[in-house]
């Protein structure tokens, strides 16, 4: 009486509660992204063959399901899977219509599985990854226990991103695998690419099997619209439209001429093409994904105005509306990352620079008021009233002929505005000289430079923030994907104040998981307890993860008492902190900055190492390699974290 893989996997997720099923019905939204979310949520809640009430089995088949039959397997091979804390281990990888199943070669028991409807992406590590250090990889020397490992220490490469013949399967945080990433090493890179393509194709079929025709079409349209060829084509059309507008403005054809008709027909063709592009974008990203994207809304406004100008010829101001065609080229900013970065940096700099500009405006206004009082009758064309004087002072500020057209003619005139009879060439009026020179020094040479300096400072700061944000996204995608199951829990535990506080947290966690108050925690209790906790993303702990983490403290199929549980979490927390330290160091190196978080994390790491010498002696890790350098602060030499610390 062996349940199938699908039945066993979904039966295990049945205990997650019936509330998820109700939430699924109330959270339906239109659009491809929401359909995927519902599909992935359903993978945690669907049940097929449920275990009958009153029958409890602790066999491997009951917990993880049996291996797929030959007719269910699409692709199978003996490969290697990256295991937390151990490295690469042998696994038989089986691809079925619904899952990627990982089987232990010797016993042929299912150790783990990936629901294909939960898969977000399947990628192959880039070429040359093994020669590069990604995210401050740590090479740890770990003492391995288990079959075939012996008693010696084995040096294991702990960064799966550096293996160029490995593929990475990223899962949804809301799915059965709770956002965990799986790294599978193939025979060679070509084999890895074949496996990745096979998983992608099967994944798409699995996702679409639970979607209606509209959602399938919307998903395909979104994939097509976001593809690089389509985006490049749209960018080329925008550029050609801008060139056509420039050519029309250069030739300035008269209505009735052939060239006038040609440009109007060309504008109509571009408007139709952009309308089709906007309709595809609306359909693919309807509704909130479109509305929440500022560049999509800008496209909508520009195309809507163009259609209005074409459709209503006698509308007042229609000629002004047609000028909006020139703004179509700004749509390129949303499609080219380099231009988008500049626009975002400028936008972020506007508000800070307004304070400096306001000071400059106030000082200029004060001088304009003084100019009206001093020179109103002598030069009324420049200083007859406040608005005229303010404009004249801005002309002086720019240096545009202020001496030859404003200051020197002003010296020649008397209080009535006529040429002074006593004026001789070369004479200077002290009031005029002091007024304009002081204005040039205060506003032109000082405040205007302050405005520019503030603009550049905040522009540079905003650009650095954009670069760090892009770097953080890359690190999150490439370095911080959850190949380590307990990371969300360890992140929460890492915010302890003292060692006593950490012990209290671990004890509280143990009491919550030990629901039967037996003083011991089995794999089943730990797995279900972690799933029920309010931790984001939810934690999926496979049997394989549990066995690998607990192999040094308990025997197979045993339970963890509190001392064992505490030792396990102490070990995993230390490894988690070392990973975060390495990633933060690499971020600091790549962004060429010193980061306080790095120093704090390093101090906590060293303090923790002193507080737990017994575990440190177990060879759980070695310090950060000397190749990782901390950017030196001004006036100091670069620091290196070598085998002896920092």
């Amino acid at each position: 009486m062996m349940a199938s893989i699908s039945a066993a996997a979904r039966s295990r997720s049945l205990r997650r509660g019936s509330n998820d099923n109700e939430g699924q019905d109330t959270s339906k939204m239109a659009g491809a992204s929401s359909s995927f979310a519902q599909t992935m949520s359903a993978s945690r809640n669907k049940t097929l063959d449920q275990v009958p009430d009153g029958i409890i089995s602790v066999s491997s088949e009951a917990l993880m399901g049996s291996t797929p039959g030959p007719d269910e397997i699409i692709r199978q091979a003996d490969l290697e899977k990256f295991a937390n804390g151990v490295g690469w281990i042998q696994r038989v990888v089986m691809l079925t219509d619904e899952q990627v199943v990982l089987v232990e070669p010797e016993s042929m028991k299912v150790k783990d599985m990936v629901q294909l409807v939960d898969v977000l992406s399947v990628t192959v590590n880039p070429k040359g990854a093994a020669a590069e250090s990604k995210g401050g990889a740590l090479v740890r020397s770990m003492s391995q226990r288990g079959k075939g490992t012996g008693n010696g220490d084995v040096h294991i490469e702990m960064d799966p991103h550096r293996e160029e013949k490995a593929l990475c399967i990223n899962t949804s945080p809301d799915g059965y695998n709770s956002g965990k990433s799986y790294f599978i090493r193939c025979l060679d890179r070509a084999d890895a690419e074949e496996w990745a393509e096979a998983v992608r194709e099967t994944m798409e079929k699995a996702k679409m099997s639970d979607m209606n025709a509209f959602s399938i079409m919307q998903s395909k349209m979104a994939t097509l619209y976001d593809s690089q060829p389509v985006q490049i084509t749209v960018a080329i059309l925008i550029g050609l439209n801008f060139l056509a507008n420039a050519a029309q403005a250069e030739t300035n054809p008269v209505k009735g001429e052939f060239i006038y008709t040609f440009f109007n027909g060309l504008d109509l063709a571009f408007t139709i093409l952009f309308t089709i592009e906007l309709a595809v974008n609306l359909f693919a990203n309807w509704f909130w994904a479109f509305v929440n994207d500022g560049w999509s809304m800008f496209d909508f406004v520009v195309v809507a105005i163009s259609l209005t100008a074409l459709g209503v010829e006698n509308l007042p101001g229609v000629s002004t509306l047609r000028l909006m065609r020139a703004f179509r080229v700004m749509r390129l900013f949303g499609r080219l990352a380099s231009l988008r970065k500049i626009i975002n940096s400028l936008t972020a700099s506007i508000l800070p620079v307004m304070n400096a500009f306001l000071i400059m405006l106030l000082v200029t206004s004060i001088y304009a008021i003084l100019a009206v009082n001093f020179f109103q009758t002598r030069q009324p064309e420049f200083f007859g009233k406040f608005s005229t004087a303010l404009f004249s002072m801005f002309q002086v500020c720019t240096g545009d002929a202020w001496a030859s057209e404003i200051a020197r003619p002003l010296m020649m005139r008397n209080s009535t505005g006529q040429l002074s009879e006593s004026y001789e060439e070369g004479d200077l009026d002290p009031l005029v000289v002091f007024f304009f020179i002081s204005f040039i020094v205060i506003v032109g040479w000082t405040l205007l430079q302050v405005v520019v300096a503030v603009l550049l400072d905040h522009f540079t700061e905003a650009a650095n923030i954009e670069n760090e944000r892009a770097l953080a996204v890359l690190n999150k995608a490439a370095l911080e994907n959850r190949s380590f199951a307990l990371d969300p829990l360890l992140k929460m535990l890492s915010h302890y104040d003292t060692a006593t506080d950490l012990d209290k947290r671990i004890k509280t966690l143990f009491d919550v998981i030990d629901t039967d108050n037996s003083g011991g925690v089995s794999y089943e209790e730990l797995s279900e307890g972690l799933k029920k906790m309010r931790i984001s993303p939810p934690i999926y702990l496979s049997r394989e993860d549990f066995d690998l983490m607990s192999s040094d403290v308990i025997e197979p199929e045993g339970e963890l008492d509190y001392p064992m549980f505490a030792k396990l979490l102490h070990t995993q927390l230390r490894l988690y902190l070392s990973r975060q330290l390495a990633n933060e160091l690499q971020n600091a190196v790549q962004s060429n900055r010193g980061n306080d978080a790095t120093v704090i994390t390093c101090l906590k790491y060293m303090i923790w190492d002193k507080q737990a010498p017994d575990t440190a002696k177990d060879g759980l890790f070695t310090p950060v390699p000397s190749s990782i350098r901390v950017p030196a602060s001004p006036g100091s030499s670069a620091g290196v974290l070598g085998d002896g610390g920092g």
Side-chain angles (χ1 to χ4, degrees):
M1 189 178 67
M2 290 187 179
S4 66
I5 287 291
S6 302
R10 290 168 177 146
S11 177
R12 293 182 64 216
S13 65
L14 173 63
R15 288 177 287 179
R16 301 182 67 88
S18 61
N19 292 335
D20 289 343
N21 290 321
E22 298 174 0
Q24 180 185 350
D25 297 333
T26 58
S27 62
K28 290 183 179 179
M29 295 174 58
S33 59
S34 61
S35 299
F36 283 149
Q38 294 168 12
T39 302
M40 287 184 285
S41 177
S43 72
R44 304 176 70 168
N45 303 320
K46 281 195 294 185
T47 59
L48 295 178
D49 301 327
Q50 303 179 10
V51 178
D53 294 337
I55 299 179
I56 301 177
S57 175
V58 293
S59 66
S60 175
E61 287 77 10
L63 292 174
M64 299 299 295
S66 58
T67 56
D71 55 336
E72 300 178 75
I73 299 174
I74 299 176
R75 189 182 180 96
Q76 175 179 332
D78 292 337
L79 305 175
E80 292 177 306
K81 177 234 178 188
F82 181 78
N84 175 20
V86 175
W88 298 101
I89 57 177
Q90 293 290 333
R91 286 291 178 264
V92 179
V93 182
M94 302 178 180
L95 175 63
T96 70
D97 290 335
E98 297 182 351
Q99 297 154 327
V100 176
V101 185
L102 304 173
V103 180
E104 187 180 30
E106 296 180 5
S107 64
M108 288 306 291
K109 292 181 179 179
V110 176
K111 302 297 291 185
D112 204 350
M113 66 189 71
V114 181
Q115 302 289 339
L116 290 178
V117 294
D118 293 344
V119 175
L120 296 180
S121 63
V122 183
T123 59
V124 179
N125 287 341
K127 288 185 177 180
E132 301 175 0
S133 177
K134 291 181 175 283
L138 292 180
V139 181
R140 302 181 183 85
S141 176
M142 302 199 62
S143 179
Q144 232 180 336
R145 288 180 57 185
K147 294 181 178 180
T149 61
N151 297 324
D153 289 345
V154 181
H155 291 272
I156 304 166
E157 177 57 61
M158 295 301 293
D159 188 2
H161 307 87
R162 301 178 63 185
E163 179 54 71
E164 65 179 23
K165 58 183 180 181
L167 61 94
C168 176
I169 303 176
N170 297 303
T171 64
S172 168
D174 299 324
Y176 176 77
N177 299 95
S178 302
K180 183 179 178 181
S181 295
Y182 291 80
F183 292 89
I184 299 175
R185 183 161 65 180
C186 302
L187 302 177
D188 49 40
R189 184 171 181 82
D191 187 42
E193 292 175 348
E194 291 178 4
W195 265 97
E197 185 62 28
V199 174
R200 288 193 202 102
E201 292 179 359
T202 312
M203 171 192 71
E204 293 297 331
K205 294 178 181 178
K207 288 181 177 180
M208 291 182 180
S209 63
D210 290 336
M211 298 169 60
N212 55 40
F214 177 81
S215 298
I216 293 175
M217 180 63 68
Q218 191 178 35
S219 173
K220 291 182 177 180
M221 193 66 71
T223 302
L224 175 64
Y225 180 76
D226 293 333
S227 64
Q228 187 174 9
V230 171
Q231 292 300 312
I232 292 177
T233 301
V234 174
I236 292 175
L237 288 176
I238 294 173
L240 292 176
N241 177 240
F242 177 74
L243 293 177
N245 289 336
Q248 185 176 10
E250 175 68 23
T251 57
N252 196 19
V254 179
K255 188 175 183 179
E257 295 180 350
F258 170 77
I259 193 68
Y260 180 87
T261 305
F262 171 76
F263 278 120
N264 277 353
L266 199 60
D267 179 65
L268 176 62
F270 279 119
T271 302
I272 293 174
L273 290 174
F274 291 142
T275 302
I276 295 174
E277 183 257 342
L278 178 65
V280 172
N281 189 8
L282 269 170
F283 178 78
N285 298 289
W286 184 265
F287 171 72
W288 292 112
F290 182 89
V291 174
N292 291 332
D293 182 39
W295 291 108
S296 294
M297 292 303 298
F298 179 78
D299 291 351
F300 178 82
V301 172
V302 172
V303 173
I305 292 176
S306 300
L307 290 175
T308 303
L310 285 176
V312 186
E313 291 289 342
N314 299 325
L315 182 69
V318 67
S319 58
T320 304
L321 289 177
R322 286 177 177 171
L323 294 178
M324 286 295 295
R325 295 177 300 181
F327 289 90
R328 288 175 178 169
V329 71
M330 294 183 65
R331 300 172 64 203
L332 280 176
F333 298 156
R335 287 171 168 80
L336 300 180
S338 57
L339 296 180
R340 185 169 62 249
K341 183 188 299 182
I342 294 176
I343 293 299
N344 291 340
S345 300
L346 284 174
T347 303
S349 306
I350 289 177
L351 290 180
V353 82
M354 289 301 294
N355 294 327
F357 182 75
L358 180 61
I359 295 175
M360 177 180 148
L361 178 62
L362 290 176
V363 174
T364 305
S365 299
I366 292 173
Y367 270 87
I369 294 173
L370 295 176
V372 171
N373 287 275
F374 291 153
F375 313 125
Q376 182 178 19
T377 57
R378 296 175 63 177
Q379 208 171 27
E381 67 273 21
F382 289 116
F383 305 106
K385 54 184 179 179
F386 174 76
S387 57
T388 305
L390 184 62
F391 181 79
S392 300
M393 298 314 297
F394 271 110
Q395 179 182 347
V396 175
C397 180
T398 62
D400 180 24
W402 67 274
S404 59
E405 293 186 5
I406 299 178
R408 294 189 183 280
L410 187 61
M411 297 179 190
M412 300 177 186
R413 301 183 183 184
N414 55 28
S415 58
T416 62
Q418 303 297 321
L419 291 176
S420 176
E421 296 179 356
S422 61
Y423 175 80
E424 295 182 3
E425 187 175 352
D427 288 349
L428 298 176
D429 186 330
L431 175 62
V432 175
V433 171
F434 178 78
F435 180 86
F436 284 101
I437 289 181
S438 63
F439 179 78
I440 288 293
V441 171
I442 294 174
V443 177
W445 290 359
T446 305
L447 292 181
L448 183 60
Q449 309 307 318
V450 169
V451 172
V452 175
V454 172
L455 176 62
L456 290 177
D457 181 61
H458 285 87
F459 179 86
T460 303
E461 181 180 351
N464 290 336
I465 292 175
E466 285 290 323
N467 291 335
E468 291 178 5
R469 188 178 302 165
L471 182 62
V473 170
L474 291 176
N475 286 338
K476 184 177 181 180
L479 304 174
E480 297 179 359
N481 43 27
R482 298 219 303 121
S483 57
F484 301 93
L486 295 182
D487 275 8
L489 175 65
L490 298 174
K491 181 180 180 181
M492 180 183 68
L493 290 176
S494 66
H495 295 286
Y496 63 90
D497 296 325
T498 62
T500 303
D501 178 46
L502 177 59
D503 290 338
K504 288 181 178 179
R505 294 185 181 211
I506 295 177
K507 184 63 169 67
T508 301
L509 183 64
F510 181 82
D511 293 339
V512 170
I513 295 176
D514 185 18
T515 55
D516 56 2
N517 296 325
S518 63
V521 174
S522 64
Y523 161 71
E524 292 76 17
E525 286 180 304
L526 182 59
S527 177
E528 293 303 320
L530 291 174
K531 286 182 180 180
K532 294 175 183 177
M533 290 183 182
R534 297 179 180 179
I535 299 176
S536 181
I539 297 176
Y540 166 72
L541 183 69
S542 68
R543 181 77 201 197
E544 182 177 46
D545 291 331
F546 178 79
D547 291 341
L548 291 171
M549 288 188 297
S550 62
S551 60
D552 288 336
V553 293
I554 64 172
E555 296 300 325
E557 306 298 334
E559 287 192 349
L560 293 168
D561 58 15
Y562 174 68
M564 296 176 180
F565 182 79
K567 181 179 179 181
L568 183 147
L569 285 187
H570 278 236
T571 301
Q572 295 303 315
L573 181 59
R574 184 175 292 103
L575 296 176
Y576 171 79
L577 290 177
S578 64
R579 290 195 301 271
Q580 298 307 308
L581 171 64
N583 289 339
E584 192 59 43
L585 281 174
Q586 188 68 14
N587 289 343
V589 172
Q590 291 179 355
S591 58
N592 194 24
R593 60 176 174 80
N595 196 312
D596 292 340
T598 303
V599 179
I600 295 173
T601 308
C602 188
L603 288 174
K604 178 179 286 189
Y605 173 86
M606 290 187 292
I607 292 172
W608 178 248
D609 186 44
K610 296 298 183 182
Q611 290 177 342
D614 55 329
T615 312
K617 293 177 182 178
D618 291 341
L620 291 173
F621 60 90
T622 56
V624 182
S626 59
S627 59
I628 299 180
R629 294 180 174 268
V630 183
S633 58
S636 66
S637 59
V640 180
L641 290 181
D643 293 340

